[in-house]
Amino acid sequence: MGFEHLDTIYYIILFFAALFAGFIDSIVGGGGLITLPALIACGIPAHLSIATNKVQSVCGAFTATITYFKSTTLPHLAWGISFTAVGAILGSYSVLFVKDENLKIIILICLTLTFLYTALRPNLGKYENNPKIKNIKFFYLICGLTLGFYDGFLGSGTGSFWIFACVTLLGFNMKKASMNTKILNFTSNIIALIIFLWQYEVLWKVGLIMAVGQILGAFIGSKLVLKSNGKFIKSLFLIVVGITIIKVAWDYFS
């Protein structure tokens, strides 16, 4: 377990990376875009980084979930949690056995379409609209299984996908979508962590140091959302999704 003994400077870098990631993730998702590359850059192997990343992701998602709890209005959440959990189990089991090159190109296409659709519709997410999917259980079946699987498999950008799904399919505004998706994001994170603890290896010292940063960042970010009118969320969403597109494209084509 040589990776348990990183130089002190790496622990400091990872702490602040997790703090910033927790702040971003509690608002628009995409925190894994910051923490996962940071772990890998410190010399930790990819699969070990993915597993360790879930320790701090769970703490950040839980903090945001608790902060937003009284503002959560999604009906039939038990169905969403159940389908998301199943997807996360399948994704977590697949991560060591499936090459992610083909998945990355699909993610790249989906992210690009998400970015363009959101950017070219100035009123998207500004106001609440009529839902395109009125059967909430069907919404959970499709999005829960798909995004749960993705979060268990790779994870980066899951929160952004959830927000986009709620805005476009359920008619939520950006602020409402941001607050309501955290419980689902937390579900896939905790399930993936349980699978990793059972099947794989986790660097606890690294994960717990980053967890402290995640909790602080998530608390600050979620409080900012609750106290604001949410107008800044769409701009931040586009920035995070845009950066995610660049990162995924770089990984795939390089």
Side-chain angles (χ1 to χ4, degrees), residues 21 25 30 32 42 68 93 127 177 196 211 215 221 225-226 242 254:
D25 208 44
C42 289
Y68 290 140
Y93 267 113
Y127 309 104
F196 287 138
I215 291 170
V225 170
L226 289 173
S254 64

Side-chain angles (χ1 to χ4, degrees), residues 74 77 80-81 84 140 162 180-188:
L74 269 173
L77 263 176
I81 291 171
T84 302
Y140 286 140
W162 268 121
N180 278 273
T181 54
K182 291 301 170 286
I183 182 63
L184 301 171
N185 207 178
F186 170 71
T187 298
S188 52

